[in-house]
Amino acid sequence: MSLHGILFDLDGTLANTLPFCIRAYQLTAEHFTGRLPGETEVTSLFGPSDEGVLEHMVPGRLAETLPYYLDVYEQLHLQECKETFPGVEKVLALLQAKGIRVAIVTAKGQYSAAISLRVLGLSHWIDTMETGFPDKADKPRSIRK
């Protein structure tokens, strides 16, 4: 049996993106509600995509919160995490050299996932990416795709 493809999660798997992802949610919530949610409160909302998390944190204002969140997310990404975990690029290069397709399956929204790929320089290693859904987590559906 030969390996034709491999799937990776993004946050906390390819790079240390979780700390500033949480902080971007906190800062967005604080900006729109005046209240800074704790880390546990934010992570308890994980599962849906960014859109779903933001809609839960600040209901009815996604048109405002999403662009704000993405701006904060990108700024923090550029300040705190411009590289993958050690060895990730070597693994991706080896997989590519062997003709093994690489996919990312993440609960993140498409826009924040694209920011991470760009900032981390991963775009040229990834053949396909499945992002999350605003209503609920459904990684099995994304994995089947």
Side-chain angles (χ1 to χ4, degrees):
M1 179 163 91
S2 60
L3 181 64
H4 298 286
I6 190 165
L7 307 174
F8 290 99
D9 189 12
L10 180 57
D11 293 318
T13 301
L14 299 177
N16 191 26
T17 53
L18 283 170
F20 70 84
C21 180
I22 293 166
R23 195 157 47 261
Y25 281 126
Q26 289 173 313
L27 294 171
T28 301
E30 181 180 43
H31 178 80
F32 286 96
T33 69
R35 188 180 76 76
L36 183 72
E39 181 176 328
T40 303
E41 183 180 346
V42 172
T43 58
S44 74
L45 301 173
F46 283 9
S49 65
D50 305 325
E51 294 84 355
V53 172
L54 292 167
E55 184 61 34
H56 185 81
M57 295 175 89
V58 188
R61 297 183 65 189
L62 188 61
E64 299 168 80
T65 59
L66 183 60
Y68 186 90
Y69 169 79
L70 293 170
D71 185 52
V72 171
Y73 180 83
E74 183 168 15
Q75 288 176 36
L76 292 173
H77 210 320
L78 289 166
Q79 292 169 13
E80 299 182 23
C81 184
K82 291 194 234 177
E83 297 179 355
T84 60
F85 286 126
V88 166
E89 288 196 30
K90 280 185 178 181
V91 169
L92 295 174
L94 176 63
L95 291 168
Q96 189 176 63
K98 299 272 186 189
I100 298 170
R101 292 178 48 92
V102 176
I104 289 178
V105 176
T106 180
K108 295 178 92 55
Q110 67 179 8
Y111 304 114
S112 62
I115 289 168
S116 288
L117 289 187
R118 182 174 40 77
V119 171
L120 295 169
L122 292 175
S123 298
H124 65 285
W125 303 112
I126 307 303
D127 296 300
T128 190
M129 180 169 60
E130 290 295 323
T131 56
F133 308 95
D135 56 333
K136 65 177 183 165
D138 196 352
K139 280 196 178 181
R141 180 170 128 192
S142 295
I143 289 169
R144 282 191 302 276
K145 274 181 96 176

